[in-house]
Amino acid sequence: MPMGMKKTSGGRKSRKTSKNKEEERKYPKVQVLIDVCKEVFQNCGPGIVPTPENIQRLKDVMDGMTEADVGLGQTMQIFWPQWTHKFPYISYIKVYECDKFSIGVFCLPPSAVIPLHNHPGMTVLCKLLFGKMYVNSFDWVKAADSPNENGVFSTEPLKIVNSGKLDSDFNASPADGVIPAGALRLANTKVDSDVCAPCNTSVLYPADGGNLHAITARTACAFLDVLGPPYCDPQGRHCTYYRKYPFSSLPVVGMESVPEEQRKDYAWLQETDKAEGSLIYGRNYRGPEILPES
């Protein structure tokens, strides 16, 4: 069937009207996403999750988007391998931002790393536009998750004053192999696998779904990110980074009650100011035109 043609209910073919074509030019998919976000997040805020129906509305729009809908091509220089850096640079393109939500695109060359971090009070929708990436995500363990009465799954952070020599299974292990003094908190693994495009949009909620995550690019890749609400330091929504330590590394009371095969599902997370990963550089949005605010 020729492009621009469609079958009518009677089986006849008719060309799209010039009005319809104008509407398509006027409302590209990225504009539709912005408009839906405005409606969905209008009455939301920190810790307030949109209704399942509204989440599905956002997913329906994002699931149908590709890199071309935000002005990207897989052969662009920002996706080329970078052999001169331990962690290749990442480009971030801000598409739209207001006090209710933000829309952006992360562009990762091969081996680029976004270190383990959180999204406090946020609902996050992420759509991999192309490529392959490894995702390791966690949720904080809740008191109701405890399988025993010994408190091993307590929500209270574990205070470390002077630990023994332990190895981290995350890239950012301390130079001397010792967990630094500070508080560690128990987390439950949500995702520990590769994600390949094409795939559907994933959702991270304030308290579940993998609110804390780390990403490593297996190949050049790009993903669309929607945050509601966005990070805001004055309002206390900081991006906090973490180091990860295996659950079995710390001999805590009650650990023996957790079967050995289940211990890999948990990890100790510790806040850190020295997250090792790629530097992220902002770039201008050059995709389809976004309508000015009315």
Side-chain angles (χ1 to χ4, degrees):
M1 184 180 297
M3 293 182 63
M5 303 284 286
K6 64 179 181 179
K7 286 186 178 181
T8 64
S9 58
R12 299 190 306 274
K13 296 177 180 179
S14 64
R15 293 188 178 277
K16 290 182 178 179
T17 65
S18 59
K19 181 179 179 180
N20 287 340
K21 290 181 179 180
E22 179 62 28
E23 287 298 313
E24 288 181 359
R25 286 194 292 268
K26 186 177 180 181
Y27 289 101
K29 290 181 180 179
V30 68
Q31 182 68 57
V32 174
L33 177 59
I34 293 171
D35 293 345
V36 174
C37 282
K38 289 179 180 179
E39 296 177 5
V40 168
F41 292 109
Q42 180 179 6
N43 297 317
C44 294
I48 302 176
V49 178
T51 64
E53 293 78 13
N54 278 333
I55 290 292
Q56 190 60 52
R57 289 179 63 195
L58 290 170
K59 292 179 67 176
D60 288 343
V61 176
M62 296 176 68
D63 284 347
M65 295 182 68
T66 69
E67 64 272 17
D69 293 314
V70 288
L72 295 175
Q74 299 184 26
T75 60
M76 294 173 65
Q77 187 174 358
I78 55 176
F79 298 112
W80 292 1
Q82 301 171 17
W83 307 116
T84 58
H85 308 287
K86 179 180 179 181
F87 297 108
Y89 299 148
I90 292 172
S91 296
Y92 175 75
I93 299 171
K94 182 171 72 174
V95 177
Y96 185 92
E97 184 171 349
C98 62
D99 61 344
K100 291 291 186 178
F101 67 91
S102 66
I103 302 173
V105 183
F106 285 89
C107 306
L108 289 71
S111 301
V113 173
I114 299 178
L116 187 62
H117 63 284
N118 68 344
H119 306 85
M122 303 176 189
T123 300
V124 181
L125 292 96
C126 180
K127 168 65 192 310
L128 181 61
L129 299 173
F130 74 88
K132 179 180 180 180
M133 63 186 188
Y134 165 68
V135 178
N136 192 198
S137 66
F138 302 87
D139 291 320
W140 295 122
V141 165
K142 309 176 189 66
D145 297 332
S146 178
N148 58 75
E149 299 177 356
N150 294 322
V152 65
F153 288 92
S154 171
T155 56
E156 292 298 318
L158 179 66
K159 299 293 184 180
I160 298 296
V161 179
N162 185 19
S163 68
K165 287 189 174 294
L166 300 169
D167 291 327
S168 167
D169 58 359
F170 186 60
N171 290 331
S173 58
D176 59 1
V178 175
I179 296 179
L184 285 88
R185 189 172 170 186
L186 193 60
N188 186 18
T189 302
K190 183 68 177 181
V191 177
D192 185 18
S193 63
D194 289 337
V195 178
C196 303
C199 59
N200 291 331
T201 302
S202 62
V203 186
L204 288 61
Y205 297 99
D208 60 81
N211 188 275
L212 305 98
H213 67 189
I215 294 172
T216 301
R218 299 296 198 195
T219 67
C221 60
F223 64 89
L224 181 64
D225 217 33
V226 173
L227 307 179
Y231 289 107
C232 181
D233 286 345
Q235 296 181 17
R237 293 193 300 278
H238 313 285
C239 182
T240 303
Y241 293 96
Y242 299 86
R243 283 196 177 100
K244 178 185 74 173
Y245 300 96
F247 175 65
S248 300
S249 295
L250 298 176
V252 294
V253 174
M255 179 186 292
E256 62 276 1
S257 65
V258 181
E260 177 118 15
E261 63 273 14
Q262 294 183 16
R263 295 180 185 180
K264 59 179 174 45
D265 297 330
Y266 302 95
W268 297 101
L269 305 186
Q270 183 183 53
E271 290 187 18
T272 178
D273 294 328
K274 298 179 179 180
E276 290 193 17
S278 300
L279 296 176
I280 300 176
Y281 291 91
R283 294 185 180 272
N284 294 329
Y285 170 73
R286 301 186 183 279
E289 183 179 0
I290 294 173
L291 296 177
E293 298 290 339
S294 58

